[in-house]
Amino acid sequence: MTSYRAAPARHGTAVHRAAPAPRGPAGVPAAAAVLALGWAGAAAVLALWWQDTGSVVGAAGWLLGAGRIAGLLCGYGCALLVLLMARVPALENAVGSDRVARWHAMAGRYVVCLLVVHVTCVLAGYTAQAHTNIAGETWTVVTTYPEMLKGALGGLLLLAVGALSVRAARRRMRYETWYHLHLLTYLALYLAFWHQLALGADLPGGSAARTGWYVLYGAAAAAVLGYRLLVPLRLNLRHRLRVSSVVPEAPGVVSVFIHGRRLGELGARPGQFLRWRFLAPGLRWTSGPYSLSAPPRGDVLRITVKAVGGHSAALAQLRPGTRVWAEGPYGALTADRRRRQKVLLLAGGVGVTPLRALFESLPGRPGDLSLIYRARTPADLALRSELEAIAHTRGARLFLAVNAPDGRRPDLTAAGLRAALPDIAAHDVYLCGPPALTRAAYTELRAAGVPAGRIHHESFAL
């Protein structure tokens, strides 16, 4: 790793005393528990159909049975979709916001597929029973069955949102456009809910199943109302956030200092992020997830942002006094994931921001902490002087991995990592950077002997 340059470490008095590694949740056990709960709910929904279904006779019976099962699971999946959109802090902080977002995307695909199966099988079953054509039966069902017009409109909206969420479609539209169209999901589920109650043979009036359905959807609606509206409203009324200054850090990279009242009560921790909405022209309708690039200090928070799109580029033009609307804090890339005394922080580009906050704040003795910072050129090393100062003060190791003058990249292979840190297999590793670098680094870390459970990473590429 000859292209790595270690900042000299001064093994004097460290800022933080050595402390045992925290033993908080590591993300994976919490994720497994949440997934188990979700699948248990799906099994309970299937039990409703099993309990209410006698013998299944003929092709029409099998088609209607399959349609009922798909409809029940689709309705259950819709409630889970809403819960995963609600930004429940306990879920996002224990499991990780990136994992929750992936679950939401996966659940969305399941819901759309189940909806298609439900509609297809039910209409085919009714057609077989009535011995008519499917077009005529579809018209009869939609126009004469109770709440069916609402259900059909809700289903069409849900299919449209699903089509717009396909990666190829998303790439062709601005994120803000996709996001606001995605909010139609709430309307779709509201319309479909009444259809489920009116025609759900497994949810008869006065039954425990119907009560449970109300509770499930009521809890999802309450989570959205609480965590997407009321909690952010309370946060922003209490803390009164405003931009205090904007400072250039590197080409295309700025730090935004945000001042507020009683920010100690916010509970933000190094490694976490908030969703920031700056109430300035062109920015007020869009929020972005940006990590804290320094531990909270008094009534000041700091984020460091690279211009990679219209929203992030516009932050360089923010004026002091601009009001800020924030949601959070979110994220599980915190000290709670730590399992070993020795820690490696591996950053790429602007992914250094949450790791810079951890580099300063993680407890450790001299030599316990190391940071590898990958960038194309020395000029792209945002916050370099701060990182060098922290390394000197704490007796930590800082490796600056930049391309050679001829364009050759530093050696981020397993052998190169072991050469820099011979005992790397005994480290916890916090990883943050562009997706390609994160994937490559994860593979090399595993090859270097670091267990998967001690490689902690979180991505905003949702």
Side-chain angles (χ1 to χ4, degrees):
M1 272 181 148
T2 56
S3 57
Y4 283 16
R5 290 175 288 138
R10 189 174 64 201
H11 296 278
T13 304
V15 173
H16 299 269
R17 294 181 180 178
R23 297 291 178 182
V28 174
V34 173
L35 284 175
L37 184 62
W39 286 112
V45 168
L46 285 176
L48 288 178
W49 175 84
W50 182 267
Q51 180 180 356
D52 295 336
T53 303
S55 60
V56 180
V57 179
W62 283 104
L63 286 169
L64 290 173
R68 284 173 56 196
I69 291 172
L72 283 169
L73 290 174
C74 181
Y76 173 70
C78 286
L80 293 188
L81 271 182
V82 174
L83 283 169
L84 292 172
M85 291 170 70
R87 297 177 186 166
V88 180
L91 179 63
E92 300 230 349
N93 295 341
V95 173
S97 297
D98 56 342
R99 185 180 278 120
V100 172
R102 289 195 297 272
W103 286 352
H104 173 72
M106 179 181 64
R109 290 190 286 271
Y110 285 152
V111 163
V112 169
C113 291
L114 288 167
L115 175 60
V116 171
V117 172
H118 169 65
V119 172
T120 303
C121 288
V122 167
L123 289 177
Y126 284 155
T127 300
Q129 280 185 337
H131 303 289
T132 184
N133 63 78
I134 195 164
E137 190 63 26
T138 300
W139 177 258
T140 299
V141 169
V142 171
T143 58
T144 64
Y145 282 42
E147 301 290 347
M148 197 59 235
L149 277 173
K150 289 182 181 178
L153 180 57
L156 289 173
L157 284 174
L158 201 57
L159 289 174
V161 171
L164 292 173
S165 297
V166 174
R167 185 170 299 177
R170 284 187 60 179
R171 287 175 177 169
R172 289 175 168 80
M173 68 179 73
R174 297 175 65 230
Y175 170 80
E176 294 80 3
T177 303
W178 172 85
Y179 173 80
H180 289 109
L181 289 174
H182 203 66
L183 295 179
L184 289 173
T185 303
Y186 292 124
L187 176 59
L189 300 189
Y190 172 79
L191 293 171
F193 177 72
W194 304 109
H195 156 69
Q196 295 171 49
L197 295 182
L199 296 177
D202 302 290
L203 305 171
S207 67
R210 191 182 186 94
T211 300
W213 215 250
Y214 272 115
V215 170
L216 176 64
Y217 272 79
V224 170
L225 178 63
Y227 292 114
R228 296 295 295 268
L229 295 176
L230 299 182
V231 169
L233 179 62
R234 178 175 179 267
L235 181 155
N236 288 280
L237 289 176
R238 169 182 288 187
H239 299 299
R240 304 283 184 177
L241 301 172
R242 292 183 181 272
V243 173
S244 58
S245 63
V246 178
V247 178
E249 300 286 3
V253 180
V254 298
S255 285
V256 181
F257 290 82
I258 297 159
H259 183 271
R261 303 184 307 182
R262 299 185 293 177
L263 292 185
E265 300 173 10
L266 184 61
R269 304 175 60 195
Q272 291 190 308
F273 69 95
L274 291 88
R275 298 181 186 272
W276 306 92
R277 187 186 304 273
F278 297 92
L279 305 186
L283 294 174
R284 64 180 69 248
W285 298 110
T286 306
S287 65
Y290 300 122
S291 297
L292 298 175
S293 60
R297 290 187 176 88
D299 286 336
V300 176
L301 302 175
R302 188 185 76 174
I303 59 174
T304 301
V305 181
K306 182 176 182 179
V308 294
H311 185 274
S312 53
L315 300 193
Q317 307 304 318
L318 287 172
R319 295 183 177 182
T322 300
R323 293 183 61 187
V324 183
W325 183 274
E327 297 178 44
Y330 302 117
L333 196 69
T334 66
D336 284 345
R337 288 196 172 188
R338 186 179 181 182
R339 289 295 175 272
R340 292 291 185 271
Q341 188 65 39
K342 291 192 174 183
V343 175
L344 167 64
L345 308 170
L346 201 162
V350 79
V352 75
T353 56
L355 302 191
R356 181 257 178 255
L358 289 169
F359 196 44
E360 179 181 347
S361 61
L362 280 174
R365 300 167 299 195
D368 282 346
L369 301 179
S370 303
L371 190 150
I372 297 174
Y373 186 3
R374 170 78 179 95
R376 288 190 179 90
T377 69
D380 293 321
L381 294 167
L383 308 177
R384 174 180 179 175
S385 61
E386 295 183 17
L387 294 170
E388 290 176 338
I390 293 170
H392 277 286
T393 303
R394 302 203 60 187
R397 287 172 288 190
L398 173 64
F399 300 93
L400 303 177
V402 297
N403 293 354
D406 60 1
R408 285 182 295 115
R409 295 187 173 189
D411 185 9
L412 278 177
T413 62
L417 291 168
R418 281 195 297 261
L421 296 171
D423 60 345
I424 190 171
H427 284 64
D428 269 295
V429 181
Y430 288 74
L431 180 60
C432 190
L437 180 141
T438 301
R439 289 192 296 268
Y442 181 90
T443 300
E444 297 302 329
L445 287 166
R446 294 288 290 117
V450 182
R454 286 198 267 115
I455 303 175
H456 316 300
H457 56 93
E458 201 163 30
S459 169
F460 297 148
L462 308 179

